[in-house]
Structures are given as structure tokens and as C-alpha cells.
Amino acid sequence: YVNLITVRGGDHSLSGTLVGGWKLIEVLGRGGMATVYRGEAADGRVSAVKVFANQRAGDVAAIVNEAMVMRAVRDPHVVTASSCGEDGGVLYLAMELLPGGDTKGLTADRERLDDKEVLRLAEQCARGLSAIHTAGFLHRDLKPSNVMLDGSGDAKIVDLGLVFPLRRSTAGSTILGTPAYMSPEQARGETLDAGTDLWSLGATMWHWAVGGPPFVAEDSLMVMDRVAHARVPDPRAQAPVGAHLGQLILHLMERHRDRRYNDADEVLAEVLGYDAERVAALRAAGALGADR
């Protein structure tokens, strides 16, 4: 929920005011479209409250849609919403507060995560993506800053503002997402399916394992061009990444989507080290996506 938001000390424009039953205590971060506050309810509950700076046509529908998606996707590894609406001309969305910060911060100054931690986070994200896809949606913007940690250090997929129905995942005139982590088909403006989120999971894991994004360039257009056409760098050539993790990342980031894993459940099985027979049995029982 803090996508493209950076903390700016001293910004307290609405701090102390009551919005939708939440007292806005302090600014957690700010972006071009919204400010996120720490909010407290009268009964002591706390929440992250996203307040939109300028209400525009379609904003109300968009924020309600985001909240509805959060409520439709029930999974421990996807952020939840508690309330949304308009209060005194202020459009807001209240979500669970995630004190652990985002996983991009874990790799500050090019620090990498060890293989075990990357696989732990990948397992949890695969569970979250499985729930999102099962509910009939694409995330379209999975990246390290959109994976946050709760108080126990477990991963939660956040920022469902670009979520789109799988059944309507046709190409549009505007390419949405974050260039360094979007799939080649997304960068080319093509029709999307669940494979685009799997690529983004691979790119996110690449970042965790190496300490930065797989594609860098002088500007976003150049990054998108590299995503669309350049060969994916082998993470094992960039950092001490193990064979299993390196192969998993490259399989997720196959340029041709039909060569990637079939779905998030298959990724989860690979992370857990299950064989094909056990995957089939668990999928038939509807148990593969459940936490162990």
C-alpha cells in the first residue's frame, strides 16, 4: 500500500483529524496520488489509512474496487482492507498496518538476501498469488516494494490498485506496471494471463537474491525495451546464488510464457520440493495453497 511512497518527515497536513472513524496520527509515507497515515480507532485498533490527495473522476470507483478485491481474496499473504469511503470530501482506504516495511528495504545498498530467506518469501508470495488468481484476478505490479512484512516477518502482497480481472486481461492503450519487474508481454502491451505475475515474482526474487533489479537503464523506456528483448541475466553470475534458486528464478522468467510454470501452485510446489505426483494429489484436494 505504499507503492511509490517515500517517507517525508514533517508532513502532517491531516495529522490529528478524524477520517472514516480513524484518527490520523502520523504520516507513514507519501506518493503522487495519496498519503498513507497511521490511523487509530476509538477502540484502540490501528490501521494504515491511505488518503487520496485529489479526488478525480473514477477515483471513488477505483478505491472501492481495490477494497472489494482485498475482501474477495482471503489469504494470510495478501493485505486486507477494513473500511473505505468518503468522509467530508476525503477519500480513504483503511488497511492492515504492516510494521515490517517492504522487502525492497531489505536489499538497501545492494545487500542481498540468502537463498533460504528468498525461498521463504517466494513460498509466501506464491500462496498469495495463487489466492489472487483463484479469485479471478491478476496483480500486474508485483515487485519488492509491493511485498511487505507483518510483525512476525511474514510476507504480504500489497497495492492491489492495478489488479485486473483475468477474464478481461486484454491489452490496452496504456501500459501499467513497474518496468523493471513487468513481463515482456506486459512491456509490449500484449494480452496478459497469470504468467505475467509469475514473471514478476521471478524478477522480485532476482532482486532479493542479487540486491537489485534484473534490468537497469537510464530511463523507464529503455528498461522496458530491455525487458521486452534482452536476455535475462543469470543471477548466479551476479551473486552467490545456489543452483536450485537460480534455476527457479530463470524458469519463472522464461521469455516465452508457455515455458514458465503453469501456475502459482506449481511454483509453490517447486519451492517446497514436491514431486509431480504429490502436486497433483494436493491440487486435487485443494490443499496446495494452504499454509503448512
Side-chain angles (χ1 to χ4, degrees), residues 80-203:
T80 59
S82 54
S83 62
C84 71
E86 186 177 8
D87 185 358
V90 177
L91 186 63
Y92 73 93
L93 171 63
M95 303 160 287
E96 63 179 308
L97 185 66
L98 299 173
D102 66 61
T103 60
K104 183 178 181 180
L106 299 179
T107 58
D109 300 321
R110 299 291 296 184
E111 291 293 326
R112 65 177 296 268
L113 305 183
D114 63 38
D115 287 17
K116 183 177 180 180
E117 180 66 2
V118 172
L119 289 169
R120 185 185 75 86
L121 294 174
E123 174 193 340
Q124 296 177 349
C125 287
R127 295 184 190 278
L129 282 181
S130 177
I132 291 171
H133 295 164
T134 299
F137 300 103
L138 292 177
H139 188 280
R140 298 198 299 172
D141 198 23
L142 188 67
K143 57 185 177 182
S145 60
N146 278 342
V147 178
M148 298 193 68
L149 304 176
D150 63 15
S152 300
D154 288 329
K156 300 249 187 182
I157 297 174
V158 305
D159 199 347
L160 305 184
L162 294 186
V163 165
F164 200 69
L166 269 167
R167 66 183 183 276
R168 295 172 49 206
S169 57
T170 54
S173 58
T174 302
I175 297 174
L176 300 175
T178 304
Y181 305 96
M182 65 173 55
S183 67
E185 59 268 23
Q186 192 171 1
R188 293 191 293 261
E190 298 172 357
T191 299
L192 303 179
D193 58 22
T196 193
D197 284 343
L198 299 186
W199 169 286
S200 297
L201 175 58

Side-chain angles (χ1 to χ4, degrees), residues 59-84:
D59 279 354
V60 174
I63 197 65
V64 170
N65 180 69
E66 184 174 356
M68 289 178 64
V69 170
M70 288 184 190
R71 292 181 178 182
V73 180
R74 292 294 185 179
D75 187 85
H77 302 297
V78 179
V79 68
T80 59
S82 54
S83 62
C84 71

Side-chain angles (χ1 to χ4, degrees), residues 172-256:
S173 58
T174 302
I175 297 174
L176 300 175
T178 304
Y181 305 96
M182 65 173 55
S183 67
E185 59 268 23
Q186 192 171 1
R188 293 191 293 261
E190 298 172 357
T191 299
L192 303 179
D193 58 22
T196 193
D197 284 343
L198 299 186
W199 169 286
S200 297
L201 175 58
T204 296
M205 292 168 62
W206 202 105
H207 184 125
W208 292 333
V210 175
F215 296 100
V216 294
E218 295 179 2
D219 56 52
S220 295
L221 289 178
M222 291 180 67
V223 172
M224 289 174 65
D225 183 70
R226 291 187 179 181
V227 168
H229 304 292
R231 183 175 182 178
V232 177
D234 190 328
R236 293 167 292 188
Q238 311 292 323
V241 176
H244 175 232
L245 178 58
Q247 290 167 2
L248 176 60
I249 291 172
L250 293 177
H251 195 170
L252 282 163
M253 299 182 72
E254 282 281 1
R255 184 157 303 285
H256 300 285

